[in-house]
Amino acid sequence: MKKILVTGGAGYIGSHTVVELAQAGYEPIIIDNFSNSEESALGGIQAILGREVPCHRIDCGDAEALRQVFKTEGDIAGVIHFAAFKAVGESVQKPLAYFHNNVGSLITLLQVMKEEGVENLVFSSSCTVYGVPDHLPVTEATPTKPANSPYGRTKQMCEDIVHDAAGAPDNKVHTILLRYFNPIGAHESAKIGELPLGVPNNLVPFITQTAAGLREKLTIFGNDYDTPDGTNVRDYIHVVDLAKAHIVAVQRLLDRKASEAVETFNVGTGHGNSVLEVVATFEEASGQKLNYVIGPRRPGDVPAIYADATKSAEVLGFKTTTSLRDSLASAWKWQQTLSK
Ligand code: WQD
């Protein structure tokens, strides 16, 4: 089986991708420093797969430790790099930690991959690189705009670093950049899912925690935007659909199907939903009335963004299959499991 290193493999998207990799016949190897994930995710993965997935507890920024993993594991066919901090608001408070971790770990990884002769990389990028787009939906050719946060800037910098590294004469690494939209939901088994530390920044875990009685109410950050119902519009993609996009990307790299050393794909549903639509859909899916109020806008929020998913469909052959309703139902099932 082809060995795939998954950095941040114990995290929300990482753990779901590890499950899909194993079930697609690959041999995933996890690297995680558990700075933003929990060991319980390893147990959840094992419960789903019926076997343990090896995990190296190291920081991707530690070149020597990373080198040792590559040497210990031997024939690594490719790397999926999730390991990064990802809270927009937190990045404004701790910009240096975000640049050091998100940009530093990518540079270290690329250096070690070059030394060890590993030539395939899938990189976790984000729709944040588009900033506030002039037109919707956004395609991969939509110009990136100044990011709204240090987090977004780290993703833009990482994309530039991948492109520049690929342009070096001695480069051998082929990369696929996946620009995620808004991942939500959990594996149908409810054995893995989103584990926000502290008060959730993201909408869906805040909704499920409110419905579970852990939060008093949801505050909707503004309803006076230039959108159909005044609330922000996003492209909410089920986390298992997102995980499956990584399997397709890995196989494309291994098959050397790409014409260029770096390819970029939007990974979203291609549909936009407003915050109020998400709330209404959650109430229908869960049978739970949600307590919410309208509050002030959140600085840095983009009024509306959703993907043109045509390139992923036509070039990757990837399409999402999970509806917003089913995604929210899976998030609610996971929350109920956590509450037990
Ligand atoms: C979604 C919508 C909020 C919480 C971020 C990153 C992005 C990606 C996903 C990593 C917005 C509204 C939220 C709340 C609310 N992460 N909201 N009340 O900001 O679209 O994207 O997470 O890749 O890169 O930027 O996600 O879930 O925080 O917000 O009204 O309590 O929900 O205003 O419109 P966001 P989010």
Side-chain angles (χ1 to χ4, degrees), residues 86 88 125-128 151 180-183 201-204 206 218-221 232 234 236 275 298 301:
K86 69 135 204 161
V88 171
S125 190
S126 168
C127 61
T128 315
Y151 163 77
Y180 307 159
F181 283 72
N182 287 54
N201 290 299
N202 293 123
L203 176 65
V204 172
F206 206 107
L218 167 74
T219 300
I220 295 179
F221 298 142
N232 285 175
R234 293 288 184 276
Y236 295 96
V275 177
R298 177 173 70 174
D301 266 341

Side-chain angles (χ1 to χ4, degrees), residues 87-292:
V88 171
E90 183 187 51
S91 76
V92 177
Q93 313 303 322
K94 303 177 182 172
L96 297 182
Y98 269 69
F99 287 114
H100 183 262
N101 185 47
N102 293 10
V103 181
S105 68
L106 173 68
I107 294 169
T108 303
L109 175 65
L110 285 170
Q111 280 170 328
V112 174
M113 284 177 72
K114 184 175 173 182
E115 290 164 17
E116 300 298 321
V118 176
E119 299 183 349
N120 298 302
L121 172 65
V122 178
F123 176 70
S124 162
S125 190
S126 168
C127 61
T128 315
V129 303
Y130 294 112
V132 182
D134 295 331
H135 303 288
L136 288 172
V138 291
T139 72
E140 290 80 358
T142 296
T144 57
K145 303 278 279 299
N148 273 7
S149 68
Y151 163 77
R153 262 184 291 285
T154 68
K155 289 301 180 182
Q156 288 176 333
M157 287 178 176
C158 286
E159 289 200 0
D160 291 345
I161 289 166
V162 163
H163 279 285
D164 287 348
D170 59 350
N171 175 65
K172 299 235 180 357
V173 176
H174 290 249
T175 302
I176 288 181
L177 302 172
L178 297 182
R179 289 176 177 169
Y180 307 159
F181 283 72
N182 287 54
I184 62 169
H187 191 267
E188 61 186 358
S189 66
K191 294 191 184 305
I192 52 176
E194 197 165 3
L195 286 167
L197 302 180
V199 179
N201 290 299
N202 293 123
L203 176 65
V204 172
F206 206 107
I207 286 177
T208 59
Q209 289 189 10
T210 301
L214 301 176
R215 307 279 163 208
E216 187 220 337
K217 63 182 181 302
L218 167 74
T219 300
I220 295 179
F221 298 142
N223 68 346
D224 58 350
Y225 285 96
D226 180 18
T227 61
D229 65 16
T231 63
N232 285 175
V233 173
R234 293 288 184 276
D235 185 327
Y236 295 96
I237 176 172
H238 192 267
V239 66
V240 173
D241 282 341
L242 178 56
K244 288 178 175 168
H246 291 75
I247 313 312
V248 176
V250 162
Q251 194 55 55
R252 180 174 172 82
L253 286 167
L254 296 181
D255 294 344
R256 278 286 177 275
K257 283 215 177 116
S259 47
E260 59 252 277
V262 181
E263 289 187 298
T264 302
F265 295 95
N266 285 339
V267 187
T269 65
H271 309 292
N273 287 109
S274 74
V275 177
L276 281 172
E277 284 173 335
V278 172
V279 169
T281 308
F282 175 80
E283 289 181 329
E284 182 213 325
S286 64
Q288 296 275 128
K289 190 87 186 76
L290 196 76
N291 185 22
Y292 70 86

Side-chain angles (χ1 to χ4, degrees), residues 33 37 71-72 166 196 237 255 291:
N33 68 358
S37 54
K71 293 186 184 312
T72 307
I237 176 172
D255 294 344
N291 185 22

Side-chain angles (χ1 to χ4, degrees), residues 298-320:
R298 177 173 70 174
D301 266 341
V302 171
I305 186 164
Y306 59 95
D308 177 321
T310 306
K311 186 180 174 189
S312 285
E314 290 181 356
V315 177
L316 275 186
F318 169 78
K319 278 186 179 170
T320 59

